[in-house]
Amino acid sequence: MRETAYINGNGGWQMKKELRIMEFLLQHADSHTVSFHMPGHKGSAIYKRFGYDEFLEKFMDCDITEIPGADNLFQAEGIIKNLQDKYRELYGVSHSYLLINGTSGGIIASILATVPAGGQLVMARNCHKSVFNALTLGGIRPVYAYPELIPEYGISGEISCEEIEQCLKDNPEASAVILPSPNYYGVCSDIATIAEVVHRHGKVLIVDQAHGAHLKFFEKDMPLSAEDAGADIVINSIHKTLASFTQSAVLNLHSQRVDRYVLEDKLQAIQSTSPSYLLMASLDINASILELHGPTLMKEWAENLDYFYSEAAKICTMDDSARSQQPSLGFLTGLKNFDRSKINIDSGGLSMTAAQLEEALIKRGIVPELTTGNILMLMTGIGNTREDYDRLLSALKQIIREKRQQLGSSSPSPSDQKGAPHTDSVLMSRARTHLPPPSGKTQLFAIPKKWKRIPLIEAEGKICASSIIPYPPGIPLVCPGEMFDKDTITYIKALRDAGEKVIGVNENGEVAVGFDK
Ligand SMILES: Cc1ncc(COP(=O)(O)O)c(C=O)c1O
């Protein structure tokens, strides 16, 4: 997490500290940075393009509560129901629900609606923290399914249907299965086959499609959306890649296996009782844009991606074939079942960590979504224009040139190429090496009832009482009931020393551990 804001002063991109929130936002709006991070709308241009200027002008006067005629999110019969019906048709499902607490709220409600208190949930270990929060709220016992690791890059790959099948065979008591697809880097799992396995075992499949709300609308060269692949509940962060405001999302239900009234009850329990009409209006605008211009916009997006990847390949081997052996950046394009709207760059070949590459891009006015180890991820969205991709290409070209000049004829040494380890690879190695190994997987202890805070460096062998979550990507590295081990402590310390945000470690470097064992 960056603690500082970058502003475009006279002397170029500089860091500025201690702004008020509003000042920060206004400066950001004036800075004209290119956004390759959330939200997917990328600013007001897309609303203006499709004639929503009046809404933008009257924004504050549109901030209302449930006045007569405004309908009610939790008993939708009027204008909100109409929009929910529009989403139902857009996604081809039986029911759609607007969410104003993000996919996070939808995930928690879905789990509480499908797993009884104290029951079992099969969940991918790389699930978002909202899944872990649902476990705590419902006293639910997790059964972890582990994603494959893509060893070249240290990031997690798909969750295989064999892994899910094994978890279900070993844990017939489990009521539901949840996994993220795509994951943060764009790797999707084979949801169609997983759905078949889960349904054969008589369970409910919930897909966290926070990063894939757009998949349904791409015509080709993209993984199938989880709705089309047969999942029972799919939760989409419309705000991440499409055109609504941050925090707005849509839950799609397409199943007889889930009691929709129980689900609606849990949505009410989890979400704010003062839903923002501005958020819901942005979901409305997004739906209309998709309905009226979806095919055009998706075609433009796909063409921009084709253009970017082919120009980027030229840039990486630029300056003729004699120099093609030169240090360069790599692009993770060959991954199986991959959402290519996430541009993942491997910075190692240029003797840079992803954090250094990010710094170099930010200095050139381009803001990426995420870095970890040697992988930098740029999140494209419906609002990115050809100009954004051109600015990115030109920045990458400059960075490669400068770095090559700096490196001279020397090619990068293997040690130069290594960034900090990646959270996913640390997570997987914890899973493999943790003790004791009944199935070679992380041991869960009872979640401590009594706990205290101790320095992180003294936590080896102690049971975690409050999740440790590097952010982003927001996947808990150590969960309540798991034991702290030496390598993980070293990794967390390295992240903090590098200025990364690690939720669960306080300002004094302390973590919560149980002392009832
Ligand atoms: C995989 C995944 N699932 C769920 C969420 C939560 O989504 P939201 O921000 O819409 O609450 C995130 C957030 O980044 C995420 O990365």
Side-chain angles (χ1 to χ4, degrees), residues 215-223 298-299 302-303 305-306 338 340:
L215 291 180
K216 171 79 188 176
F217 307 102
F218 265 80
E219 279 186 359
K220 57 186 173 75
D221 301 333
M222 278 291 206
M298 294 301 143
K299 189 164 168 282
E303 283 171 359
L305 290 169
D306 289 343
F338 179 57
R340 66 200 179 96

Side-chain angles (χ1 to χ4, degrees), residues 38 101-104 107 128 180 184 208 210-211 237 239-240 471 473:
M38 300 176 224
N101 285 22
T103 286
S104 305
I107 284 178
H128 184 253
Y184 224 121
D208 167 3
H211 292 279
S237 292
H239 68 94
K240 290 193 199 297
Y471 216 94

